[in-house]
Amino acid sequence: MNKEVKEINIEEYDYPLPDERIARHPLELRDACRLLVRRADGSISDHVFSELDTLLPADSMLVYNNTRVINARLRFHKGENGDGALIEIFCLEPEQPADYAQNFASTDSCSWTCFVGNSKRWKSGTLTARIDVDGNSVTLAAERIARHDNTSVVRFSWNNPEVTFSQIISSAGEIPIPPYLNRGTEATDTTDYQTVYSHIEGSVAAPTAGLHFTDSLLQRISQRGIPRRELTLHVGAGTFQPVKSDTIGEHLMHSEWIAVDRSLIAELAADNRKVIAVGTTSVRTLESLYHIGCLLSQGKAPGEVPQWYPYSPEHPDLSRSEAFSLILKYLDNNGLNVLIASTRIIIAPGYTYRVVDGMVTNFHQPRSTLLLLVSAFTGGDWRPMYDFALQNGYRFLSYGDGSLLLR
């Protein structure tokens, strides 16, 4: 194990972020936000996001996360008349069925791992709520069937077999905007907090670097001959989890579900184009693919990429092509067209990028694992670009401005 990585002190990744610099809402035009460009030599320039098509390397491919944020926050009131204590249930990931698509297609019941707000007031019993789903009155019930340290498993059931769970949460739930916005969900968040290319339901947080893209910008990127490709990582609530320990070795990374089509894996195995990832979720997915190939080379199953695996002295040194070819062989041997796995990797200074040559990303919270990821990409030289952004009026976090980092 690379002890130096685990001994990184999170205080070194702190910076003053004035509250007024946190964007509470996006700009009316998505691609009108500012774009900081940091090139491989460390030089920084100021642009508008709508210029991105002209700034991407000609020999690159753009890879983005097509996940769609679900209305994960459900509210129930105790009591027969619905006038009792408010219990808020925040759906995190499917439990039964464990497959996202199957769970959303359920027509009578399903269960999820959830955060439960005001949990002490829900000691037992079933919560119910009357909801309207496309003009049909439906009774939704919630029963807590298991408790863990910080989460619970909640079984949802409803009395209309014509209604799916996807329809239930779309009608009854709320978009879970980030807690650091310090405001309630508003009607505009329903569209503002989704990328224009989102279509695979499952995230409880948006891959926010993608919020800046418009259909016209994507079209101009294609017109330049830059391929656009999709993958899926369902963003979990752990993305907002701060590093509370002094050193990152004591921080437990959250696990996130990924799915990548065989066609993209084959393209990455054979193509020498520069890979530009949109957002840290795409970065984590693409880099995790390389490590899945390495796990396969060691005879291990590609279930979950462990947090510290990239830094292990036993980690094999494969080329990108070798690692991705092993994934293709695994898929072919098992008759699969999609690789489904999960990842816990932490990308921090000391990490060697194997797939990603550039990234589009926002400006992240102080003392966060996302800032560690950016630092690793820039060779530890993250502070000058953050100083530039702070000194020049950039807007920060989910609804803020963007950056293009190249190496």
Side-chain angles (χ1 to χ4, degrees):
M1 177 64 64
N2 188 329
K3 292 183 179 180
E4 292 183 2
V5 175
K6 298 185 77 172
E7 291 172 358
I8 290 174
N9 194 315
I10 196 60
E11 286 188 4
E12 299 173 10
Y13 297 87
D14 200 1
Y15 68 92
L17 178 59
D19 185 70
E20 63 270 17
R21 302 302 290 278
I22 299 174
R24 300 289 190 258
H25 298 87
L27 299 181
E28 184 175 354
L29 297 177
R30 289 176 180 248
D31 60 1
C33 70
R34 298 175 69 180
L35 178 70
L36 181 152
V37 177
R38 183 197 183 274
R39 294 177 174 81
D41 61 2
S43 62
I44 293 171
S45 56
D46 187 26
H47 300 268
V48 179
F49 201 89
S50 58
E51 300 176 62
L52 181 66
D53 58 309
T54 67
L55 297 167
L56 293 172
D59 58 343
S60 63
M61 86 166 53
L62 192 71
V63 183
Y64 47 74
N65 186 1
N66 61 18
T67 189
R68 185 168 182 81
V69 183
I70 62 173
N71 291 6
R73 182 176 283 120
L74 296 164
R75 300 178 189 272
F76 292 82
H77 285 274
K78 294 187 66 178
E80 293 183 4
N81 298 320
D83 54 0
L86 171 66
I87 307 296
E88 185 175 279
I89 300 177
F90 191 140
C91 297
L92 297 176
E93 60 182 17
E95 181 80 14
Q96 184 61 40
D99 178 82
Y100 279 86
Q102 292 179 18
N103 195 294
F104 287 127
S106 299
T107 55
D108 54 4
S109 67
C110 62
S111 60
W112 281 69
T113 297
C114 305
F115 287 140
V116 178
N118 207 9
S119 181
K120 293 181 180 179
R121 302 296 299 274
W122 186 24
K123 295 180 179 179
S124 61
T126 300
L127 305 175
T128 60
R130 300 279 296 181
I131 62 175
D132 181 90
V133 180
D134 299 330
N136 298 311
S137 179
V138 177
T139 300
L140 174 65
E143 176 189 6
R144 180 150 53 184
I145 59 178
R147 295 172 186 253
H148 302 301
D149 289 341
N150 299 311
T151 60
S152 298
V153 178
V154 177
R155 180 178 181 270
F156 298 101
S157 58
W158 53 99
N159 62 348
N160 188 332
E162 301 298 318
V163 173
T164 66
F165 188 64
S166 177
Q167 292 174 291
I168 291 284
I169 59 173
S170 294
S171 299
E174 293 181 3
I175 285 281
I177 60 171
Y180 48 65
L181 293 184
N182 291 320
R183 65 170 175 81
T185 300
E186 300 172 4
T188 53
D189 292 314
T190 302
T191 53
D192 288 345
Y193 201 56
Q194 302 281 11
T195 63
V196 296
Y197 45 72
S198 66
H199 62 95
I200 305 296
E201 290 184 311
S203 281
V204 300
T208 54
L211 296 179
H212 307 303
F213 285 85
T214 62
D215 290 328
S216 60
L217 175 57
L218 292 171
Q219 185 176 10
R220 293 199 304 275
I221 290 171
S222 294
Q223 288 171 347
R224 274 201 65 203
I226 297 174
R228 296 188 284 114
R229 301 292 182 259
E230 299 182 357
L231 48 72
T232 305
L233 180 145
H234 288 324
V235 189
T239 191
F240 301 122
Q241 181 180 345
V243 179
K244 296 180 179 180
S245 55
D246 291 336
T247 59
I248 67 168
E250 302 169 41
H251 179 74
L252 178 64
M253 281 294 288
H254 54 289
S255 178
E256 291 178 313
W257 183 94
I258 63 176
V260 185
D261 285 349
R262 185 193 186 283
S263 59
L264 176 55
I265 295 169
E267 193 169 0
L268 291 168
D271 202 324
N272 290 321
R273 287 179 180 269
K274 292 179 179 178
V275 177
I276 310 298
V278 177
T280 57
T281 61
S282 297
V283 171
R284 290 190 78 212
T285 304
L286 290 164
E287 292 295 317
S288 294
L289 288 177
Y290 170 81
H291 298 295
I292 287 171
C294 292
L295 286 167
L296 288 167
S297 77
Q298 296 176 311
K300 300 176 182 178
E304 181 176 85
V305 182
Q307 176 171 340
W308 298 107
Y309 178 64
Y311 311 94
S312 169
E314 289 79 30
H315 190 290
D317 185 19
L318 304 182
S319 68
R320 185 177 93 182
S321 178
E322 288 171 333
F324 281 57
S325 294
L326 286 169
I327 300 175
L328 292 175
K329 183 178 179 181
Y330 167 82
L331 292 174
D332 292 343
N333 288 344
N334 290 277
L336 301 172
N337 288 318
V338 180
L339 175 72
I340 295 177
S342 60
T343 182
R344 284 189 183 271
I345 65 167
I346 183 169
I347 298 178
Y351 179 86
T352 300
Y353 276 84
R354 300 288 191 160
V355 182
V356 174
D357 301 295
M359 73 175 76
V360 178
T361 189
N362 285 5
F363 293 92
H364 305 292
Q365 287 181 290
R367 303 170 68 97
S368 65
T369 58
L370 303 183
L371 190 53
L372 292 171
L373 180 150
V374 168
S375 180
F377 189 82
T378 60
D381 194 34
W382 66 274
R383 199 173 289 275
M385 56 181 283
Y386 272 65
D387 287 344
F388 180 94
L390 286 166
Q391 293 164 10
N392 289 276
Y394 275 70
R395 303 158 73 245
F396 278 59
L397 307 186
S398 294
Y399 278 147
D401 295 316
S403 66
L404 170 64
L405 314 181
L406 300 170
R407 67 184 183 96

